[in-house]
Amino acid sequence: MSGPAAKKKRKPGGANGTADRDTATTGQTELPDARWRGLVRKRLLDWFAEHAREMPWRREPTPYRVWVSEIMCQQTQVATVIPYFLRFVERYPDATALAAADESELMRMWEGLGYYRRARSMHSAAQKIVEEHDGEFPMRYRDALALPGIGRYTAGAILSISSNQSLPILEGNTIRVFSRLIGMRDCVDEKKSVDTLWQFAEQLLPPRFAPDDRSRGPASLNQAAMELGALVCTPRDPKCLVCPVSDRCRARAAGLENAIPTKTQKIRYEARSEFAALISDEKGRWLVRQIPAGNRFAGMWDFPKAGPPDAGDVQQFQSWLSDEIHPKVRVEEQVKTMKHAVTKYRITLHVHRVVRPANVRKLPPPWAWKTAEQLHHLPMSTTGRRLLDWVEKSGEILERF
């Protein structure tokens, strides 16, 4: 049979070579049909109902609590976030309390989570919520998206999880799960790939659900996809044998579960040396400063510390510190080495003893003398806190100052 009435030959699109009806094509990746999506959706929801981890924001998923959890969980493991979350919502139970927070106290509450811009953005967003939405997190997508620090994913996550709105989400875990399910071989950080994944995430949402039925709606489906990525569909050696949708997974069928997703380029880490000084006065206080705006960890307190371009070696560090506090200082022996990572840098911090100049009287801002007890109540950089803890535990070191 030929002509307009002839049936078109369907292309195989399922994970096991089954035909995908109503298949949409975006770029080089064919999106599965409605029947495939319905099966995957049901299995994800059933799996999540049985395997969902207990989390404090899931017990009481108000928009504010979900917002706090989503921001904290960015770039941070859930296990690390939970105690921070509990302390945070106890101190700031709603947007009004957060808007009125003292920034120094807020930074102290956030200390250890890193990426401190997140906390500052939340502070600004809370103030906007108070000013423009009477202290209630906005429930319209466009209003949520207009808040500082909230993008397409975060807005969708907050509104879908807290109020079951039909909004897709796409973040690290779901990017991995979705790209494997649909067998995306293109780099996931290319625009066409991102567009395809957003399209798939939207198509996967339940087409029909009762608004108050969270267990079968977007609230649970979005969390199920994230949970699957966190517990089963992991970056390396995914647990395909226990995955509820492994027989529908195109990456699994092609033996590419460890190769998908692919990215254009991997981060190239750079080695970097930085220098820190321990200087105390006759009262046992330590020389510290509040890090100026525009610098890493701005607003936090830290011991004298510098790296390129201010200090590439010990002599340059000595000159930098002398210029900062005016009297010349003498950097002496190294007493400790610390290693840590910040963004693309792998940093070695060389900690030196520094002889306190006799003529230091009034320190120029932002420098100050602080006791260890005072520093415990101030926000400090991660390495600054580690260094303070080490100094307090090292009686021998203290005696040498």
Side-chain angles (χ1 to χ4, degrees):
M1 186 175 184
S2 61
K7 291 184 179 180
K8 294 182 179 180
K9 184 178 180 180
R10 293 194 298 266
K11 295 181 180 180
N16 296 320
T18 56
D20 279 342
R21 289 165 291 186
D22 304 322
T23 297
T25 302
T26 305
Q28 300 298 314
T29 305
E30 293 184 344
L31 297 184
D33 67 5
R35 183 177 179 181
W36 182 99
R37 296 195 302 270
L39 176 63
V40 166
R41 185 184 303 120
K42 180 181 184 304
R43 289 186 184 177
L44 284 175
L45 289 170
D46 290 346
W47 176 84
F48 184 68
E50 183 177 354
H51 295 91
R53 289 173 291 178
E54 179 70 18
M55 297 178 186
W57 49 87
R58 286 178 176 167
R59 291 195 298 269
E60 189 182 346
T62 65
Y64 175 78
R65 289 167 66 88
V66 174
W67 172 40
V68 173
S69 71
E70 286 296 329
I71 299 299
M72 284 188 169
C73 285
Q74 292 172 6
Q75 307 293 330
T76 311
Q77 295 290 329
V78 168
T80 301
V81 164
I82 288 176
Y84 281 91
F85 174 85
L86 293 172
R87 289 193 297 267
F88 194 92
V89 295
E90 182 179 5
R91 181 66 185 86
Y92 309 117
D94 52 37
T96 301
L98 179 56
D102 174 76
E103 184 173 309
S104 180
E105 181 189 64
L106 177 61
M107 291 297 102
R108 182 69 181 93
M109 293 286 292
W110 198 270
E111 185 183 312
L113 281 176
Y115 300 94
Y116 294 94
R117 183 178 297 178
R118 295 180 296 175
R120 293 190 177 91
S121 293
M122 285 187 67
H123 198 199
S124 299
Q127 292 169 344
K128 187 171 183 178
I129 290 171
V130 170
E131 293 170 3
E132 299 181 7
H133 304 286
D134 297 323
E136 297 295 329
F137 193 94
M139 301 309 295
R140 291 194 304 180
Y141 177 75
R142 67 182 183 185
D143 293 334
L145 201 61
L147 295 173
I150 294 184
R152 183 179 181 182
Y153 155 69
T154 308
I158 295 168
L159 298 181
S160 67
I161 294 172
S162 68
S163 57
N164 213 22
Q165 293 189 35
S166 188
L167 293 166
I169 64 170
L170 197 64
E171 43 75 63
N173 284 318
T174 53
I175 286 173
R176 184 168 58 257
V177 170
F178 294 163
S179 61
R180 285 172 175 167
L181 280 173
I182 66 176
M184 176 175 283
R185 304 192 187 195
D186 296 323
C187 296
V188 294
D189 49 0
E190 294 178 353
K191 184 181 184 303
K192 66 176 182 178
S193 299
V194 173
D195 290 343
T196 298
L197 289 170
W198 273 113
Q199 182 180 348
F200 176 71
E202 189 165 9
Q203 290 179 355
L204 193 61
L205 291 170
R208 293 174 296 277
F209 61 93
D212 58 348
D213 184 3
R214 296 176 52 84
S215 65
R216 310 307 291 182
S220 287
L221 184 69
N222 282 337
Q223 291 183 90
M226 289 192 289
E227 196 82 328
L228 190 75
L231 301 180
V232 176
C233 195
T234 48
R236 297 178 182 176
D237 300 319
K239 304 174 183 66
C240 298
L241 294 179
V242 297
C243 177
V245 291
S246 61
D247 64 337
R248 298 291 94 189
C249 178
R250 292 176 177 173
R252 170 73 168 167
L256 296 174
E257 61 269 27
N258 279 304
I260 293 177
T262 60
K263 294 185 178 180
T264 303
Q265 60 181 7
K266 294 183 178 180
I267 298 175
R268 294 183 178 179
Y269 295 103
E270 298 178 22
R272 176 185 174 108
S273 289
E274 295 184 354
F275 302 87
L278 293 174
I279 310 176
S280 64
D281 69 1
E282 66 280 358
K283 297 180 181 179
R285 299 176 300 180
W286 297 98
L287 180 66
V288 291
R289 68 165 178 167
Q290 190 170 27
I291 302 171
N295 293 269
R296 192 173 74 220
F297 303 122
M300 313 293 281
W301 288 82
D302 203 354
F303 293 94
K305 184 190 300 178
D310 296 314
D313 56 34
V314 174
Q315 290 302 316
Q316 290 178 359
F317 178 57
Q318 179 172 284
S319 298
W320 172 83
L321 185 54
S322 295
D323 291 341
E324 283 287 318
I325 64 174
H326 302 319
K328 289 186 177 181
V329 298
R330 187 173 76 252
V331 175
E332 296 196 344
E333 77 268 29
Q334 181 171 311
V335 294
K336 186 172 178 59
T337 299
M338 299 171 62
K339 293 183 181 293
H340 64 110
V342 177
T343 61
K344 66 177 182 179
Y345 298 106
R346 293 294 181 262
I347 299 172
T348 299
L349 181 65
H350 305 278
V351 183
H352 288 259
R353 174 177 178 263
V354 174
V355 175
R356 179 177 60 87
N359 57 343
V360 173
R361 293 292 184 267
K362 187 176 181 180
L363 290 169
W367 296 97
W369 296 108
K370 298 288 184 181
T371 64
E373 179 62 26
Q374 288 173 322
L375 289 173
H376 279 297
H377 298 283
L378 293 173
M380 296 190 76
S381 71
T382 302
T383 53
R385 183 69 63 192
R386 286 173 56 195
L387 190 51
L388 177 64
D389 291 342
W390 176 77
V391 166
E392 287 192 295
K393 294 174 183 177
S394 304
E396 179 183 350
I397 297 297
L398 284 171
E399 292 174 2
R400 296 164 60 184
F401 287 89

